[in-house]
Amino acid sequence: QVQLVESGGGLVQAGGSLRLSCSASGSIFSINVMGWYRQAPGKQRELVAVTSSCGSRNYADSVKGRFTISRDNAKNTVYLQMNSLKPEDTAVYYCNLGAVGINYWGKGTLVTVSS
């Protein structure tokens, strides 16, 4: 079975930085994309950043220029470096792994940005 474990969330002051990490374990076949989503209370889960197997990267407009996604394919690990954090970035951040025919989700890690 596949399991995704996120880490790195916490409380940070506005303008600060956090680095999220997500490691996948288990049997995973033909990974297409790995990415990060977030969900604030009362809102739908939204895509934050995604990276494909070819190395391309895409970001939500709200985080472009502040966040950087990267991954280590050999370790099945994806990272999200978050700089210049704003209170509106407060949310539960979820790791996502897209394989052929199925998506896997982590349990989420809470990021709280204080003003």
Side-chain angles (χ1 to χ4, degrees), residues 22-66:
C22 173
S23 296
S25 62
S27 298
I28 305 173
F29 304 95
S30 301
I31 298 174
N32 290 324
V33 297
M34 296 186 75
W36 291 92
Y37 290 71
R38 68 186 181 186
Q39 187 169 26
K43 296 184 178 180
Q44 289 188 307
R45 189 174 298 185
E46 64 176 352
L47 176 67
V48 177
V50 61
T51 179
S52 69
S53 59
C54 69
S56 65
R57 293 167 170 80
N58 290 282
Y59 300 89
D61 288 341
S62 60
V63 306
K64 193 174 298 182
R66 299 188 296 120

Side-chain angles (χ1 to χ4, degrees), residues 74-96:
K75 298 181 179 180
N76 288 332
T77 300
V78 63
Y79 306 92
L80 185 68
Q81 178 67 45
M82 305 185 294
N83 298 325
S84 301
L85 283 162
K86 304 175 181 179
E88 50 263 44
D89 294 318
T90 296
V92 177
Y93 285 70
Y94 297 90
C95 178
N96 172 257

